[in-house]
Amino acid sequence: MNATIHSAEDDLVFLDEPEGIPPLEAAESNSTWRIMIIDDDPDVHSATTFALGSLEIQHRPLSFIHAYSATEAREILERESDIAIILLDVVMEQEDAGLQLVSYIRKTLGLTDVRIILRTGQPGYAPEIDAIRDYDINDYKTKSELTRTKLYTAVTSAIRSYEQICAISSSRRGLEMIIHASTELMALQGLQNFAEGVLIQITSLLGLNTSGFVCAKTNLQGRHYENDKLHVIAATEDYHDALNKPITDLLQINAKEIVQRSLELHQSVFEADITALYFNNVTQKDFALFLNTGLRLNDMDKRLLSVFCSNVSVGLDNVMLTSRLHNYAFYDLLTGLANRLKLLQTLNETLLSPIKSRSALSLIDIDHFAETNDALGHQFGDLLLNAVAQRLRENFGNQCQLSRVGSDTFAMLGDKSLVCPETILALFNSPFNVDQQEVQLSATIGLIKLDEYDGDGSEALKDTNIALKRAKTHQRGGYEYFTRSMGVEIRERVLLMHALRAAFEHEKLFLVYQPQVDMRSGKVLGAEALLRWKTDDGRYIPPDQFIPIAEYSGLIVDIGEWVMESACYELIHLRSLGYTDFQMAINVSQAQFSHPLFMQTLSKVLKSTNVPANFVELEITESMAMKDPDLLIKTLHQIKQLGVSISIDDFGTGFSSLSHLQKLDIDKLKIDRAFVNDIQHNGSEGSIAKMIVQLGQNLGLSIIAEGVENEMQANALLSFDCHLAQGYFYAKPMTSEDLHAWLKKQSS
């Protein structure tokens, strides 16, 4: 076939070629490769269209767009897209119009994928080497050399190049979208937010306006899913009714089936009309996404989707880890309830919100839980706590913030119509079913109303605990509301405790000694060491105020050791002054006496001071003697083996069991000052003191009376046959220096 088309500027010649050139590939698609012809000669357009009209490349035919000037080409290119090849003439309106259009296409329009084949009939206006070097063109042909075969070859090569560049560009854009999507997902906190983000990003990535849902098997962030079923945790509007429900509740059977198949196979499943994407994760939590549309993906799409799913899996691992850390930080792992930190967070929010005026906080303490735990084991105790938590959740879980804030203490924050003692205590009327056993429990409650509360969450929780402790002190199974007077009392005790600790550390505590005498002869037999505290401003804090605080705080153990050591050193000093028969009485508190290291401490003090043990007397209270008689008998025996004597202080105030008393290896009874004060001038009172003297004599014990203030009391005691006494009638408590002077005066 011969064809010659003449123009005023150049020639486009198709030489003789074999007939019947077949298309490269059979067409399988209705889409076309778009070819743009830019030339000011209409015959060139016709000849090119005629030459290429039957050509098919990669199963796709060609379609043509025509522009007859550079200006017209610019207008078309601004609105058209997906042009594969531009066949461009150099000389049109101007001698370099084609070259200027190349710059406009590449730089201004930013069309980098389209392939440009420069065609010229006048090479002098665009020398090949200069054009290739200076302009972003992909091929250079003179019209005189273009046969049909060479045009086929040039166009086919250009289209294949364009297809590869488009694939690369598409891959790059896809990767950029994946990176952007992954970045957006990594910023999301919480599994549900992450799942919603995955739905948004996948539809954006695929360019689809579709609906679907994300399902997972999880109980993160305190949410309890029955039997750990697969639940919908995020959904588009079409599936909103399924949110937070088991996937088995879905009416769409094919959706359930494809998701289950994806999870069983651990891979994504693609069907004609629906898709299930599987996301692997290190925690092996089932996590899948359902789309109600089929995805027709080429190999590149599948690879990009695989990269996206891998990135989602990494993000899922991070979210799972963050969620577990969040769980550990804000939820109790045993019961699934919020913990103390979460309660404080919610409490602070409540105190700053309008609902403060109608809110209340309660602490619920299970009575005698420690004994149950010790008797039946920790595993049973855990089941018991879970049973209590479950009952609280069933009755208040949707209306109140429930927390476990201690080993056996629960908190409830909510409307005060619900957070009231009668409602809460009623939960404990019926037994709890624990490990196929019915267990009856009771609880003690402390409460606070927040409507007029001025403190923050931590202070409110602390004050509620004060009310709980007051309730436990007064009556187990009852309740107390916090009052301002409770707070003042507790705060004063705390301040006093800190001041006592500081005073002890800075050696502000000191001992005084009250002599003990034989009333018959006036001879000084010894003294009782008494602890005193004088503050920096000169005030004396009474022992009955600071000794209980020292016992409560545990500071009494250190203070008691210091008292014992100081009193023994004073005894050594008195012996060096010639008072070799002097006996030192030292008070021992219950907390000090019951401490596991008490005997070790006593032995160490006796050894370090080198004091004769038989001149040391320990005074214990009657209530201590009755607290744990078996332990007391054992400890007293050990003390006696060291040579130290024992006196029971405040005898008659603790309602002793005489059967226990006669078993104790003790040396002396001290009549409490309250019974000494009962002795009147006429001697009609004082019968209790007289009875104690007779009891002591029957048991073979020495008897000493404390608080003897006058001669009448001394004479009455002597008439009862009590010979030993201490009190202001004989001497007040004195410092070491004053005691030495007083003893010296007594001796002279």
Side-chain angles (χ1 to χ4, degrees), residues 51-64:
L52 300 176
S54 62
L55 183 65
E56 290 185 356
I57 302 172
Q58 303 287 68
H59 309 301
R60 292 164 64 180
L62 309 183
S63 63
F64 300 93

Side-chain angles (χ1 to χ4, degrees), residues 659-670:
S659 62
H660 281 134
L661 183 62
Q662 64 183 353
K663 296 176 183 177
L664 301 181
D665 191 2
I666 57 176
D667 302 283
K668 186 184 294 182
L669 296 179
K670 178 178 278 190

Side-chain angles (χ1 to χ4, degrees), residues 466-637:
I466 290 172
L468 174 62
K469 288 185 176 179
R470 180 67 62 90
K472 289 165 72 173
T473 301
H474 287 176
Q475 180 187 3
R476 286 279 184 172
Y479 66 90
E480 287 276 356
Y481 275 95
F482 175 78
T483 62
R484 293 185 184 276
S485 60
M486 284 185 197
V488 171
E489 177 186 333
I490 291 293
R491 287 181 178 87
E492 286 179 351
R493 289 186 62 188
V494 170
L495 290 174
L496 195 62
M497 181 180 69
H498 289 304
L500 175 60
R501 189 178 298 277
F504 178 58
E505 290 174 353
H506 294 92
E507 300 181 355
K508 300 294 184 181
L509 303 181
F510 62 97
L511 294 181
V512 294
Y513 304 91
Q514 186 170 35
Q516 297 176 335
V517 301
D518 187 330
M519 293 185 289
R520 295 169 298 184
S521 62
K523 180 182 179 181
V524 179
L525 303 177
E528 179 183 4
L530 301 168
L531 184 62
R532 294 291 184 264
W533 177 16
K534 184 179 181 181
T535 62
D536 292 337
D537 59 3
R539 292 185 304 114
Y540 283 94
I541 308 297
D544 60 357
Q545 285 188 22
F546 72 82
I547 293 295
I549 291 174
E551 290 180 327
Y552 176 79
S553 65
L555 190 59
I556 193 65
V557 174
D558 292 333
I559 292 177
E561 181 178 351
W562 173 80
V563 168
M564 195 183 299
E565 188 174 51
S566 300
C568 287
Y569 274 123
E570 177 60 26
L571 180 58
I572 292 295
H573 186 53
L574 288 169
R575 289 176 64 82
S576 70
L577 295 177
Y579 305 106
T580 54
D581 293 332
F582 201 91
Q583 188 171 46
M584 184 66 70
I586 305 168
N587 288 285
V588 177
S589 78
Q590 180 174 328
Q592 183 185 5
F593 189 81
S594 58
H595 193 274
L597 299 179
F598 174 72
M599 286 305 304
Q600 182 178 327
T601 300
L602 176 59
S603 300
K604 183 181 73 172
V605 168
L606 294 175
K607 186 175 181 180
S608 63
T609 59
N610 201 28
V611 69
N614 57 317
F615 288 97
V616 176
E617 178 181 275
L618 299 183
E619 290 190 4
I620 62 174
T621 63
E622 183 183 5
S623 57
M624 283 171 56
M626 296 301 105
K627 191 79 174 179
D628 189 345
D630 293 334
L631 175 62
L632 181 72
I633 291 170
K634 178 182 176 182
T635 306
L636 291 182
H637 178 69

Side-chain angles (χ1 to χ4, degrees), residues 648-659:
I648 292 186
D649 195 10
D650 304 333
F651 187 77
T653 62
F655 306 102
S656 303
S657 166
L658 296 182
S659 62

Side-chain angles (χ1 to χ4, degrees), residues 224-239:
H224 283 259
Y225 286 150
E226 182 185 357
N227 299 326
D228 200 25
K229 291 180 180 178
L230 195 67
H231 276 64
V232 175
I233 61 171
T236 58
E237 188 173 352
D238 292 349
Y239 292 93

Side-chain angles (χ1 to χ4, degrees), residues 262-280:
S262 173
L263 294 174
E264 289 170 3
L265 296 173
H266 296 286
Q267 65 183 39
S268 299
V269 178
F270 302 94
E271 292 189 352
D273 54 348
I274 54 176
T275 301
L277 298 180
Y278 175 76
F279 301 97
N280 192 25

